[in-house]
Amino acid sequence: MAIKRPQGTQDILPRQTALWQYVEEKIRSLCRRCGYEEIRTPILEATELFQRGVGMETDIVNKEMFTFRDKGDRSLTLRPEGTAAVARAYAEHKLYGQTPPWKLYYLGPMFRYEKPQAGRFHQFHQFGLEALGTADPLADAEAIWLAWTLGAELGLRGLALQLNSVGCPLCREKHRAALTAFLAPQSADLCPDCLVRLDRNPLRVLDCKNENCRARTAGAPALPDYLCPECREHFAAVRSYLDELRLPYQLNERLVRGLDYYRKTAFEILAPGLGAQNAICGGGRYDGLVEEIGGPPTPGVGFALGLERLLGALAEQNTTPSLTEPPCYVLAALGPEARRWSAGLAAELRAAGFVVLMDLEGRSLKSQLKFADRRRAAFTLICGEDELARGNVLARDMRTGEQREIPRADLLREMENSISKERRVKSKE
Ligand SMILES: [Zn+2]
Ligand SMILES: [Zn+2]
């Protein structure tokens, strides 16, 4: 029986990879413009990193990790997210000893064992960034601006930015007391998950997707009403930066990130038309994370953005860009002698930067021309025995059908001229 790809994974085939590369290039360009540098961490990490850095109480760590023991009986996990590893690398390489802040981004596959469904995969891809070593609210606004602008530059319409502040442990303690007092009398009506949350981390009850739980928590004490002066000031500063950057946002008191190391800013960017999976990006400030995994106290802010969801939103809105490829040349050789000679010519032209394709199946001239048409070649360079004897190639313009012989010695220059002419015409259009 033929072997199939593992459940929950996907092959990204050539037509699609062009789109992925386009999006990735946009990401890299935007990060460069904002002073973020790329970091690449391993796909495998010690399981403990995620237990401490993502949290034992989260679904990710409880139910969704690909964890196994290696031959040395160490527990390893395929990374389910990117932030913990960036924080680990930051602490491990003592980057804090150098001038802060560190503005880092990553791009790559993540792994979660979830029930496969539309928009969810066991292996999926994230773009994320982290600004480490800064508590400045401008860093929060800058990160949000970057995520928003990526969507805008890709042509996504109808994006919505939701914003909240989850305060600091001080604010949360006061809020927790009020929230527990509010929820306790109706605990019998909460879902089983929320019953556990009520005991361990009642803030996360606000986050429950269960309709009944949502109804029960309508009118529950809202965290922003319990912010301490410092957190209130930070929140106000983030909002005033967002106003200055002309980013429209909605305040959402239910937007919580329940873990202890999350502080202050929490945000999500939603795209229309993705159903229940409509958040393409989520992030916030996590001033306690680096310390949690054994580094020095370090403020930080960042986000993660799902590339499958981003591409899904683009497809949904029909905003998939038409990708222009550089003009391509087909080198059609006839006969073994001409073929050998053409192989050398193809190498020369490729080294000079041209896209040159040659037939690899010994096809007739007619089918090589058909192949050139299919590949939308600008020119077919024909080399038969006669042309070879004269040291020329016959260049056929695939749009007009016009043909003319060009000495091999002049070919490169002619091609460079015709390309720059084409560029001039294009830029005039
Ligand atoms: Zn506070
Ligand atoms: Zn619930």
Side-chain angles (χ1 to χ4, degrees), residues 140 144 162-169 171-172 175 203 206 221-239 242 249-258 262-268 283-285 287:
D140 308 40
I144 296 171
Q162 300 210 330
L163 187 71
N164 195 18
S165 173
V166 296
C168 65
C171 320
R172 282 213 287 270
H175 175 253
L203 190 58
L206 298 178
L223 229 167
D225 297 333
Y226 291 79
L227 295 182
C228 70
E230 190 204 323
C231 290
R232 205 177 311 137
E233 200 181 305
H234 185 96
F235 195 30
V238 171
R239 289 159 61 179
L242 293 180
Y249 58 83
Q250 302 152 4
L251 294 175
N252 178 359
E253 290 162 358
R254 285 180 182 268
L255 187 60
V256 298
R257 322 204 86 202
Y262 285 116
R263 308 279 156 85
K264 299 173 180 156
T265 312
F267 76 94
E268 273 184 0
R285 184 161 275 288
D287 292 350

Coordinates of all heavy atoms in Angstrom, one line a residue, residues 140 144 162-169 171-172 175 203 206 221-239 242 249-258 262-268 283-285 287:
D140 N 4.9 47.6 23.0 CA 3.6 47.0 22.8 C 2.9 47.5 21.6 O 2.4 46.7 20.7 CB 2.6 47.2 24.0 CG 3.3 46.9 25.4 OD1 4.5 47.2 25.6 OD2 2.6 46.4 26.3
I144 N 2.0 45.5 18.0 CA 0.6 45.4 17.4 C 0.6 46.1 16.0 O -0.1 45.5 15.1 CB -0.3 46.2 18.4 CG1 -0.4 45.4 19.8 CG2 -1.7 46.3 17.8 CD1 -1.1 46.2 20.9
Q162 N -8.6 43.6 19.0 CA -9.2 43.6 20.3 C -8.1 43.8 21.3 O -7.0 43.2 21.2 CB -9.9 42.3 20.5 CG -11.0 42.2 19.4 CD -12.2 41.4 20.0 OE1 -12.1 40.5 20.8 NE2 -13.4 41.7 19.4
L163 N -8.4 44.6 22.3 CA -7.3 45.0 23.3 C -7.9 44.8 24.7 O -9.0 45.1 25.0 CB -7.0 46.4 23.0 CG -5.8 47.0 23.8 CD1 -4.5 46.4 23.3 CD2 -5.7 48.5 23.6
N164 N -7.0 44.4 25.6 CA -7.3 44.4 27.0 C -6.1 44.6 27.8 O -5.0 44.5 27.3 CB -8.0 43.1 27.4 CG -8.7 43.1 28.7 OD1 -9.0 44.2 29.2 ND2 -9.0 41.9 29.3
S165 N -6.2 44.8 29.1 CA -5.1 44.7 30.0 C -5.4 43.7 31.1 O -6.5 43.8 31.7 CB -4.8 46.1 30.6 OG -3.7 45.9 31.6
V166 N -4.5 42.8 31.3 CA -4.7 41.8 32.4 C -3.9 42.2 33.7 O -3.9 41.4 34.6 CB -4.3 40.3 31.9 CG1 -5.3 39.9 30.8 CG2 -2.9 40.2 31.5
G167 N -3.4 43.4 33.7 CA -2.7 43.9 34.9 C -1.5 43.1 35.3 O -0.9 42.4 34.5
C168 N -1.2 43.2 36.6 CA -0.1 42.5 37.2 C -0.6 41.6 38.3 O -1.8 41.7 38.6 CB 1.0 43.5 37.7 SG 0.4 44.5 39.1
P169 N 0.3 40.8 38.9 CA -0.3 39.9 40.0 C -1.0 40.7 41.1 O -2.0 40.2 41.7 CB 1.0 39.3 40.6 CG 2.0 39.3 39.4 CD 1.7 40.5 38.6
C171 N -2.9 43.5 40.7 CA -4.2 43.8 40.2 C -5.1 42.6 40.2 O -6.2 42.6 40.6 CB -4.2 44.4 38.8 SG -3.0 45.5 38.4
R172 N -4.4 41.5 39.8 CA -5.2 40.2 39.6 C -5.6 39.7 40.9 O -6.7 39.0 41.0 CB -4.3 39.2 38.8 CG -4.3 39.6 37.3 CD -4.3 38.3 36.5 NE -2.9 37.7 36.5 CZ -2.0 38.0 35.7 NH1 -2.1 38.9 34.7 NH2 -0.8 37.4 35.8
H175 N -8.8 41.4 41.7 CA -9.8 41.0 40.8 C -10.3 39.6 41.0 O -11.5 39.3 41.0 CB -9.3 41.2 39.4 CG -10.3 40.7 38.3 ND1 -10.1 39.5 37.6 CD2 -11.5 41.2 37.9 CE1 -11.1 39.3 36.8 NE2 -11.9 40.3 36.9
L203 N -9.8 33.6 36.4 CA -9.7 34.5 35.3 C -10.0 33.8 34.0 O -10.7 34.3 33.1 CB -8.3 35.1 35.2 CG -8.1 36.3 34.2 CD1 -9.0 37.4 34.6 CD2 -6.6 36.7 34.3
L206 N -13.5 33.5 32.2 CA -14.0 34.5 31.3 C -13.7 34.2 29.8 O -14.3 34.7 28.9 CB -13.3 35.8 31.6 CG -13.6 36.4 33.0 CD1 -12.9 37.7 33.2 CD2 -15.1 36.6 33.2
P221 N -17.1 40.9 37.3 CA -16.2 42.0 37.5 C -15.1 41.9 36.4 O -14.6 40.9 36.1 CB -15.5 41.6 38.9 CG -16.5 40.7 39.5 CD -17.2 40.0 38.4
A222 N -14.8 43.1 35.8 CA -13.9 43.2 34.7 C -12.5 43.6 35.2 O -12.4 44.5 36.0 CB -14.4 44.2 33.6
L223 N -11.5 43.0 34.7 CA -10.1 43.2 35.1 C -9.7 44.7 35.0 O -9.1 45.2 36.0 CB -9.2 42.3 34.4 CG -8.2 41.6 35.3 CD1 -7.5 40.5 34.5 CD2 -7.2 42.5 35.9
P224 N -10.0 45.3 33.9 CA -9.6 46.7 33.7 C -10.0 47.6 34.9 O -9.4 48.7 35.1 CB -10.1 47.2 32.4 CG -10.3 45.9 31.6 CD -10.6 44.8 32.7
D225 N -11.2 47.3 35.5 CA -11.6 48.1 36.7 C -10.8 47.9 37.9 O -11.0 48.6 38.9 CB -13.1 47.7 37.0 CG -14.0 48.1 35.8 OD1 -13.7 49.0 35.1 OD2 -15.1 47.4 35.7
Y226 N -9.9 46.9 37.9 CA -9.1 46.6 39.1 C -7.6 46.9 38.9 O -6.8 46.5 39.7 CB -9.3 45.1 39.5 CG -10.7 44.8 40.0 CD1 -11.7 44.7 39.1 CD2 -10.9 44.7 41.3 CE1 -13.0 44.4 39.5 CE2 -12.2 44.5 41.8 CZ -13.3 44.3 40.9 OH -14.5 44.1 41.3
L227 N -7.3 47.6 37.9 CA -5.9 47.9 37.6 C -5.2 48.8 38.6 O -5.9 49.8 39.1 CB -5.7 48.5 36.2 CG -6.1 47.6 35.0 CD1 -5.7 48.3 33.7 CD2 -5.3 46.2 35.1
C228 N -4.0 48.5 39.0 CA -3.3 49.3 39.9 C -2.8 50.6 39.2 O -2.8 50.6 37.9 CB -2.1 48.6 40.5 SG -0.8 48.2 39.4
P229 N -2.4 51.6 39.8 CA -2.0 52.9 39.1 C -1.0 52.6 38.0 O -1.1 53.1 36.9 CB -1.5 53.8 40.2 CG -2.1 53.3 41.5 CD -2.3 51.8 41.3
E230 N 0.0 51.8 38.3 CA 1.1 51.6 37.3 C 0.5 50.9 36.0 O 0.8 51.3 34.9 CB 2.2 50.7 37.9 CG 3.4 50.6 37.0 CD 4.3 49.4 37.3 OE1 4.4 49.0 38.4 OE2 4.8 48.8 36.3
C231 N -0.3 49.9 36.2 CA -0.9 49.1 35.1 C -1.9 50.0 34.3 O -2.0 49.9 33.1 CB -1.6 47.9 35.6 SG -0.4 46.6 36.2
R232 N -2.6 50.8 35.1 CA -3.6 51.7 34.4 C -2.8 52.7 33.5 O -3.2 53.0 32.4 CB -4.4 52.5 35.5 CG -5.7 52.9 34.9 CD -6.6 53.6 36.0 NE -6.6 52.8 37.3 CZ -6.5 53.4 38.5 NH1 -6.4 54.7 38.6 NH2 -6.6 52.6 39.5
E233 N -1.7 53.2 34.0 CA -0.9 54.2 33.3 C -0.3 53.5 32.0 O -0.4 54.1 30.9 CB 0.2 54.7 34.2 CG 0.8 56.0 33.7 CD 1.9 56.4 34.7 OE1 1.7 56.5 35.9 OE2 3.1 56.6 34.2
H234 N 0.1 52.3 32.2 CA 0.7 51.6 31.0 C -0.4 51.4 29.9 O -0.1 51.6 28.8 CB 1.3 50.2 31.5 CG 2.0 49.5 30.4 ND1 3.3 49.5 30.2 CD2 1.5 48.7 29.4 CE1 3.7 48.8 29.2 NE2 2.6 48.2 28.7
F235 N -1.5 51.0 30.4 CA -2.6 50.7 29.5 C -3.0 51.9 28.7 O -3.2 51.9 27.5 CB -3.8 50.1 30.3 CG -4.9 49.5 29.4 CD1 -4.6 48.8 28.2 CD2 -6.2 49.5 29.9 CE1 -5.6 48.2 27.5 CE2 -7.2 48.9 29.1 CZ -6.9 48.2 27.9
A236 N -3.1 53.1 29.4 CA -3.5 54.3 28.8 C -2.4 54.7 27.8 O -2.7 55.2 26.7 CB -3.6 55.4 29.9
A237 N -1.1 54.5 28.1 CA -0.1 54.9 27.2 C -0.1 54.0 25.9 O 0.0 54.5 24.8 CB 1.3 54.7 27.9
V238 N -0.4 52.7 26.1 CA -0.5 51.8 24.9 C -1.6 52.3 24.0 O -1.5 52.5 22.8 CB -0.8 50.4 25.3 CG1 -1.1 49.5 24.1 CG2 0.4 49.8 26.0
R239 N -2.7 52.7 24.6 CA -3.9 53.2 23.8 C -3.6 54.5 23.1 O -4.0 54.7 22.0 CB -5.1 53.3 24.7 CG -5.6 51.9 25.1 CD -6.5 51.9 26.4 NE -7.7 52.7 26.2 CZ -8.6 52.8 27.2 NH1 -8.4 52.1 28.3 NH2 -9.6 53.5 27.0
L242 N -1.6 53.7 20.1 CA -2.4 53.1 19.1 C -3.2 54.2 18.4 O -3.4 54.1 17.1 CB -3.3 52.0 19.6 CG -2.6 50.8 20.2 CD1 -3.6 49.7 20.7 CD2 -1.7 50.1 19.1
Y249 N -9.1 50.1 17.6 CA -9.2 48.9 18.5 C -10.5 48.9 19.2 O -11.1 49.9 19.4 CB -8.0 48.8 19.4 CG -7.9 50.0 20.4 CD1 -8.7 50.1 21.5 CD2 -7.1 51.1 20.1 CE1 -8.7 51.2 22.4 CE2 -7.1 52.2 20.9 CZ -7.8 52.3 22.0 OH -7.8 53.4 22.8
Q250 N -10.9 47.6 19.6 CA -12.1 47.5 20.5 C -11.6 46.9 21.8 O -10.7 46.0 21.8 CB -13.0 46.5 19.9 CG -13.5 46.8 18.5 CD -13.9 45.6 17.7 OE1 -13.9 44.5 18.1 NE2 -14.2 45.8 16.4
L251 N -12.1 47.5 22.9 CA -11.7 46.9 24.2 C -12.5 45.7 24.4 O -13.7 45.6 24.2 CB -12.0 48.0 25.3 CG -11.1 49.2 25.2 CD1 -11.6 50.2 26.3 CD2 -9.7 48.9 25.4
N252 N -11.9 44.6 24.8 CA -12.6 43.3 25.1 C -12.1 42.8 26.5 O -11.0 42.3 26.6 CB -12.2 42.3 24.0 CG -12.9 41.0 24.2 OD1 -13.6 40.8 25.3 ND2 -12.7 40.0 23.3
E253 N -13.0 42.9 27.4 CA -12.7 42.6 28.8 C -12.5 41.0 29.0 O -12.0 40.6 30.0 CB -13.8 43.1 29.8 CG -13.7 44.5 29.9 CD -15.0 45.1 30.5 OE1 -16.0 44.3 30.8 OE2 -15.1 46.3 30.7
R254 N -13.0 40.3 28.0 CA -12.9 38.8 28.1 C -11.6 38.3 27.5 O -11.3 37.1 27.6 CB -14.1 38.2 27.3 CG -15.4 38.3 28.0 CD -16.4 37.6 27.2 NE -17.7 37.7 27.9 CZ -18.2 36.8 28.7 NH1 -17.5 35.7 28.9 NH2 -19.4 36.9 29.2
L255 N -10.9 39.2 26.9 CA -9.6 38.8 26.4 C -8.6 38.6 27.5 O -8.0 39.6 28.0 CB -9.1 39.8 25.4 CG -7.9 39.5 24.5 CD1 -8.1 38.3 23.7 CD2 -7.6 40.7 23.6
V256 N -8.4 37.4 28.0 CA -7.5 37.2 29.1 C -6.4 36.2 28.7 O -6.6 35.3 27.9 CB -8.3 36.6 30.3 CG1 -9.3 37.6 30.8 CG2 -8.9 35.3 30.0
R257 N -5.3 36.3 29.3 CA -4.3 35.3 29.2 C -4.0 34.9 30.6 O -3.5 35.7 31.4 CB -3.0 35.9 28.5 CG -3.4 36.9 27.4 CD -2.3 37.1 26.4 NE -2.5 36.1 25.4 CZ -1.5 35.7 24.6 NH1 -0.3 36.2 24.7 NH2 -1.7 34.8 23.7
G258 N -4.4 33.7 30.9 CA -4.6 33.3 32.3 C -3.3 33.1 33.1 O -3.3 33.0 34.3
Y262 N 1.8 36.5 32.4 CA 1.3 37.5 31.5 C 1.0 38.8 32.3 O 0.4 38.7 33.4 CB 0.0 37.0 30.8 CG 0.3 36.1 29.7 CD1 -0.1 34.7 29.8 CD2 1.1 36.5 28.6 CE1 0.2 33.9 28.7 CE2 1.4 35.6 27.6 CZ 0.9 34.3 27.7 OH 1.2 33.4 26.7
R263 N 1.4 39.9 31.8 CA 1.1 41.2 32.4 C 0.6 42.2 31.4 O 1.0 42.2 30.3 CB 2.5 41.8 32.9 CG 3.3 40.9 33.8 CD 2.9 40.8 35.2 NE 3.3 39.6 35.8 CZ 4.6 39.4 36.4 NH1 5.4 40.4 36.4 NH2 4.9 38.3 36.9
K264 N -0.3 43.0 32.0 CA -0.7 44.2 31.2 C -1.3 43.9 29.9 O -2.3 43.2 29.8 CB 0.5 45.2 31.1 CG 0.9 45.7 32.5 CD 2.2 46.5 32.5 CE 2.6 46.9 33.9 NZ 4.0 47.2 34.0
T265 N -0.7 44.3 28.8 CA -1.3 44.2 27.5 C -1.7 42.8 27.0 O -0.9 41.9 27.1 CB -0.4 44.8 26.4 OG1 0.1 46.1 26.9 CG2 -1.1 45.0 25.1
A266 N -2.9 42.6 26.5 CA -3.3 41.4 25.8 C -4.0 41.9 24.6 O -4.8 42.8 24.6 CB -4.2 40.6 26.7
F267 N -3.8 41.2 23.4 CA -4.5 41.6 22.2 C -4.7 40.5 21.2 O -4.0 39.5 21.3 CB -3.8 42.8 21.5 CG -2.5 42.4 20.7 CD1 -2.6 42.1 19.4 CD2 -1.3 42.3 21.4 CE1 -1.4 41.7 18.7 CE2 -0.1 41.9 20.7 CZ -0.2 41.6 19.3
E268 N -5.7 40.6 20.4 CA -5.9 39.7 19.3 C -6.3 40.4 18.1 O -6.9 41.5 18.1 CB -7.1 38.7 19.7 CG -6.6 37.5 20.5 CD -7.8 36.5 20.8 OE1 -8.9 36.8 20.3 OE2 -7.5 35.5 21.4
G283 N -1.4 38.1 21.2 CA -0.1 38.3 21.9 C -0.4 39.2 23.1 O -1.5 39.5 23.5
G284 N 0.8 39.7 23.6 CA 0.7 40.6 24.8 C 2.0 40.6 25.5 O 3.0 40.1 25.0
R285 N 1.9 41.2 26.7 CA 3.1 41.3 27.5 C 3.3 40.2 28.4 O 2.3 39.7 29.0 CB 3.0 42.7 28.2 CG 4.1 43.1 29.0 CD 4.1 44.6 29.3 NE 4.7 45.4 28.2 CZ 6.0 45.4 27.9 NH1 6.9 44.8 28.7 NH2 6.4 46.1 26.9
D287 N 5.9 39.8 31.2 CA 7.0 40.3 32.0 C 7.6 39.2 32.9 O 8.7 39.4 33.4 CB 6.7 41.6 32.8 CG 6.5 42.7 31.8 OD1 6.7 42.6 30.6 OD2 6.0 43.8 32.3

